[in-house]
Amino acid sequence: MEMEQWAFPTRYDQDYLPDPGSPYWFPVRETMDPAERDAAVLVRLREVMDYAYSTSSFYRRKWDAAGLKPADITSFEAFEQVPVVTKAEMRESQATHPPFGDYLCCDESEVHHIHGTSGTTGAPTAFALGRRDWEVIADNQARILWGMGVRPGDTVFVAALFSLYLGSWGAMTAAERLRCRVLPFGAGAQGMTARAVTWLARVKPAAFYATPSYALRLAEVAEQEKIDPREFGLKVMFFSGEPGASIPTVRRAIEDAFGATVIDCGTMAEMTPFMSASATAGTPDGMLLWQDIVWHEVCDPASFRTVPYGSEGTPVYTHLERTSQPMIRLASNDLTRWVMEDNPCGRTYPKLPDGVYGRIDDMIHIRGENVYPTEVDNFLRGVPDYGGEHRIVVRRTGSMDEMIVRAETTLPPGERSGFESTTGAGLQSLLGVRVTFESVDAHTLERAEHKARRVVDEREHTRR
Ligand code: 8LE
């Protein structure tokens, strides 16, 4: 079967646009028999590995040590033996080969954008994006936006940080390739959220990109400004950066506030085109894994072998088109569950029905139980009179670990005892651990302008 513009190195026709009536950008690729698609991907994996082996000492060293050659990859079982790449290895490679590391597979003169991790602790990692790669990224993500229902001529409002953060730039370049009008509004500067409300009300864009936390923040500010966010007239809101768009109560809160379709997307900045995991207009829940753009595996976090459909594991990602810093089996350290079923939109991709629900490192281990911070978020958003923000504090008192959930409420101080006792008991039975529940006034906990950080684990300080 002939797949549209399928080649490596990749170069897409920059003038291509699908038939206006088609829900698909590339109808063949998106709806083909998955086994046939996988067969084409397997050949591509070999090509990408061949390319990386011959152009980077990093991959050569790594695979030589594992005793494997790109030509050995004749099955997915063989591919699963390829050792994963970790963030620590990339940091190490960039320390010894600054600034891009010896996994840069193209000439430095080919680098078109530099982005990087925005982490405030530890050494930053630089992302080098090649000139041709940037064009290919734009094309792929335009294709995914098309799948979300965004169309040429639509205005796309980008309300995320424009800085090292790749999310905003990736959304912008995708919208440009799709022949949209982009409003690169940004976020994070003083007073910017109130101004975003004004601009949204004036411009009435069709599409909006941000982190889920920031969309909720924006809805609160709109309310303070006496503007109903439904008046923005948004059609599609797409999110990446953190769990949220697939957390049922968070999703509903955004849908209710803005009256728009909520779409979850996003893998990792290193994996740009990071939208390769994304919902669509016809399959708006969860995220589809667009396997012909990036190869997504969900793996056992110890062996890094794929787990069967229906099971939970950690995503491992492989670029199929990048020639600047191709990631080949990048370990995400996130958690998800994947399934293969008929998707209402007709695309034959596997799906993450609950999105990516958190990072393995962020899971709270307390008294033999594992607590996902997203479970707490999901629960609290469903509680009447919840004020919209909370913190989870874990500390050690004596020899016992203690978990405190501090949540805002809209109730006046004298009328909170029912709220406190029911919410505390509800949390405790949901999580299976003892919880000390406290309420605080609404609008007193700081809101995230980017990704929310709600867990304060004081035990880390005790250990140090
Ligand atoms: C649940 C993908 C991008 C550019 O938006 C991003 O945030 O990349 P970054 O800064 O490298 O962070 C990647 C991490 O953010 C992932 O490993 C995951 O923990 C989290 N993340 C990103 N998108 C989602 C997400 N978690 N759902 C998402 N949709």
Side-chain angles (χ1 to χ4, degrees):
M1 187 184 286
E2 191 69 20
M3 289 164 77
E4 299 101 334
Q5 300 183 41
W6 178 257
F8 182 80
T10 313
R11 185 138 237 174
Y12 289 109
D13 172 2
Q14 292 302 293
D15 292 323
Y16 173 79
L17 280 176
D19 177 335
S22 169
Y24 313 114
W25 180 275
F26 281 154
V28 174
R29 283 206 202 182
E30 293 171 39
T31 63
M32 69 195 288
D33 175 353
E36 283 184 41
R37 186 194 296 120
D38 291 359
V41 168
L42 184 61
V43 175
R44 174 66 62 83
L45 289 171
R46 252 188 333 258
E47 286 175 310
V48 174
M49 285 183 66
D50 230 355
Y51 169 78
Y53 190 86
S54 61
T55 52
S56 100
S57 45
F58 176 88
Y59 282 116
R60 212 156 40 235
R61 204 168 50 240
K62 194 170 169 64
W63 298 339
D64 282 349
L68 65 89
K69 295 258 180 305
D72 301 338
I73 308 307
T74 52
S75 67
F76 286 105
E77 290 71 40
F79 184 65
E80 289 178 28
Q81 317 263 352
V82 175
V84 295
V85 174
T86 64
K87 289 204 174 208
E89 280 176 295
M90 289 193 275
R91 266 197 300 273
E92 160 84 26
S93 165
Q94 296 202 341
T96 50
H97 300 82
F100 302 122
D102 60 345
Y103 55 99
L104 181 71
C105 295
C106 66
D107 196 83
E108 273 196 34
S109 65
E110 276 299 304
V111 176
H112 174 67
H113 267 220
I114 304 172
H115 291 268
T117 51
S118 39
T120 44
T121 53
T125 309
F127 308 143
L129 294 117
R131 203 157 274 116
R132 182 188 40 217
D133 283 357
W134 193 249
E135 209 177 273
V136 172
I137 286 163
D139 236 90
N140 276 312
Q141 302 205 143
R143 177 180 160 198
I144 294 161
L145 288 186
W146 181 281
M148 294 178 192
V150 184
R151 288 292 176 268
D154 283 348
T155 299
V156 180
F157 193 100
V158 180
L161 303 178
F162 273 95
S163 160
L164 286 170
Y165 183 57
L166 250 168
S168 332
W169 299 95
M172 180 175 107
T173 193
E176 287 176 341
R177 170 61 184 90
L178 190 50
R179 319 279 192 257
C180 295
R181 274 187 297 264
V182 187
L183 206 172
F185 193 83
Q190 187 79 31
M192 213 162 174
T193 310
R195 271 179 285 148
V197 170
T198 310
W199 276 89
L200 283 161
R202 181 175 304 174
V203 177
K204 301 206 186 307
F208 174 94
Y209 170 76
T211 60
S213 296
Y214 191 58
L216 290 170
R217 169 76 190 135
L218 192 66
E220 282 185 342
V221 172
E223 194 187 325
Q224 285 157 16
E225 308 276 318
K226 308 269 180 281
I227 293 175
D228 180 353
R230 287 176 171 256
E231 287 173 22
F232 303 156
L234 291 167
K235 187 170 70 171
V236 185
M237 301 177 79
F238 58 109
F239 297 101
S240 75
E242 59 179 0
S246 291
I247 300 176
T249 58
V250 173
R251 180 186 182 85
R252 217 168 306 130
I254 300 173
E255 284 168 348
D256 287 351
F258 293 89
T261 301
V262 169
I263 298 274
D264 194 4
C265 73
T267 57
M268 298 164 78
E270 288 86 346
M271 287 314 303
T272 302
F274 62 85
M275 287 183 196
S276 64
S278 174
T280 67
T283 309
D285 57 312
M287 295 198 271
L288 298 184
L289 304 173
W290 299 58
Q291 295 288 47
D292 53 316
I293 296 179
V294 162
W295 182 246
H296 312 72
E297 301 168 273
V298 175
C299 294
D300 177 301
S303 67
F304 292 106
R305 299 303 196 82
T306 57
V307 296
Y309 288 126
S311 310
E312 178 180 89
T314 188
V316 172
Y317 304 116
T318 300
H319 276 128
L320 298 179
E321 300 183 327
R322 282 280 293 272
T323 52
S324 43
Q325 283 174 329
M327 288 288 113
I328 297 164
R329 299 206 88 214
L330 175 63
S332 65
N333 259 313
D334 286 320
L335 281 167
T336 189
R337 187 171 68 86
W338 68 345
V339 297
M340 187 55 143
E341 50 190 40
D342 289 342
N343 298 306
C345 68
R347 289 179 182 79
T348 50
Y349 296 128
K351 176 170 153 176
L352 310 179
D354 314 308
V356 167
Y357 34 81
R359 306 189 52 77
I360 294 175
D361 301 342
D362 289 348
M363 196 155 55
I364 305 168
H365 305 281
I366 182 161
R367 296 194 208 153
E369 295 291 333
N370 292 329
V371 172
Y372 296 112
T374 48
E375 286 181 287
V376 177
D377 197 9
N378 187 43
F379 177 82
L380 289 174
R381 285 230 170 255
V383 171
D385 307 315
Y386 173 53
E389 194 50 83
H390 68 276
R391 293 291 182 272
I392 303 170
V393 183
V394 185
R395 66 165 70 118
R396 175 151 301 158
T397 16
S399 60
M400 286 293 265
D401 286 340
E402 185 190 16
M403 184 161 148
I404 300 146
V405 174
R406 195 167 289 143
E408 292 183 349
T409 177
T410 49
L411 294 167
E415 297 169 25
R416 292 181 186 169
S417 62
F419 172 83
E420 287 176 354
S421 56
T422 8
T423 313
L427 269 174
Q428 202 150 303
S429 81
L430 172 77
L431 306 176
V433 291
R434 217 184 64 221
V435 174
T436 305
F437 183 78
E438 298 169 358
S439 64
V440 297
D441 291 346
H443 308 298
T444 52
L445 296 174
E446 200 187 332
R447 264 57 174 167
E449 305 260 291
H450 187 47
K451 306 187 185 199
R453 288 241 140 254
R454 301 196 170 98
V455 180
V456 188
D457 197 335
E458 296 178 349
R459 295 175 304 183
E460 286 162 17
H461 307 293
T462 331
R463 265 188 235 121
R464 254 180 235 139

